[in-house]
Amino acid sequence: MKALIVCVSVSHGNTRKIADVMGQVLQARVVEPEQVDIAELADYDLIGFGSGIFFQAFHPRLRQFVRSLPEAERGRAFVFSTSGFPPVFRPFVRLVERKGFEVADTFSCRALDTMPPFKLVGGVNKDRPNAEDLAAAHAFAEGLRSRAETATRAR
């Protein structure tokens, strides 16, 4: 299985920590949207899309990247995020699906959030992502890998 993770991590590097753990399990490159050659997406069996959540939405750079993709029949994908509060996945998942991906699963964990008004108190979730969150990301990626390998053997 060949995997790629497209990640935007701008505030505290939290999303990149999660992406790196998943990338190790999936043996996937972790790249920013600007580093992706759209033509090469067809070479991957699984593509992850992730960012921090900003005002209840995935980062604008990631949303714009997905919007820029031509609609085509594509492979499997997964969506992940880090956020101060539970994210709203559905709008972004629908966008990814409209571009031809089958979204296999989603993952989220809490992370340091210093957006206003939380900045006044030094942020929320100051100790996150923690070892437990990284272990959960690892287990999530193992599940993705296992399901992908099973599907490949079934063909």
Side-chain angles (χ1 to χ4, degrees):
M1 176 186 71
K2 189 173 179 185
L4 177 72
I5 298 176
V6 183
C7 172
V8 176
S9 184
V10 297
S11 295
H12 306 287
N14 297 319
T15 308
R16 182 62 191 233
K17 289 176 191 173
I18 297 297
D20 285 342
V21 167
M22 291 178 179
Q24 289 170 355
V25 173
L26 298 170
Q27 297 178 333
R29 284 188 316 134
V30 178
V31 297
E32 294 192 12
E34 299 79 12
Q35 297 172 302
V36 178
D37 175 359
I38 292 174
E40 88 179 70
L41 292 180
D43 297 340
Y44 293 93
D45 304 302
L46 180 67
I47 300 175
F49 297 99
S51 81
I53 300 297
F54 299 85
F55 303 107
Q56 295 295 314
F58 281 77
H59 195 278
R61 283 175 41 220
L62 187 62
R63 291 192 327 259
Q64 181 54 42
F65 171 74
V66 174
R67 276 191 207 108
S68 75
L69 297 175
E71 291 183 18
E73 187 120 348
R74 300 186 189 274
R76 295 173 54 116
F78 65 97
V79 174
F80 66 99
S81 71
T82 58
S83 62
F85 296 94
V88 178
F89 276 109
R90 197 70 208 134
F92 187 72
V93 167
R94 277 196 301 256
L95 174 62
V96 171
E97 289 172 340
R98 278 195 308 268
K99 295 302 180 169
F101 291 97
E102 174 195 341
V103 176
D105 210 344
T106 62
F107 176 86
S108 177
C109 75
R110 298 289 170 94
L112 176 60
D113 185 344
T114 55
M115 296 296 287
F118 308 115
K119 188 173 188 168
L120 296 172
V121 295
V124 295
N125 301 317
K126 294 178 185 177
D127 63 339
R128 309 279 299 269
N130 58 26
E132 223 173 89
D133 297 319
L134 297 176
H138 190 278
F140 172 82
E142 284 180 333
L144 286 171
R145 185 184 66 203
S146 176
R147 289 191 305 258
E149 289 171 351
T150 300
T152 300
R153 282 193 297 271
R155 290 184 203 158

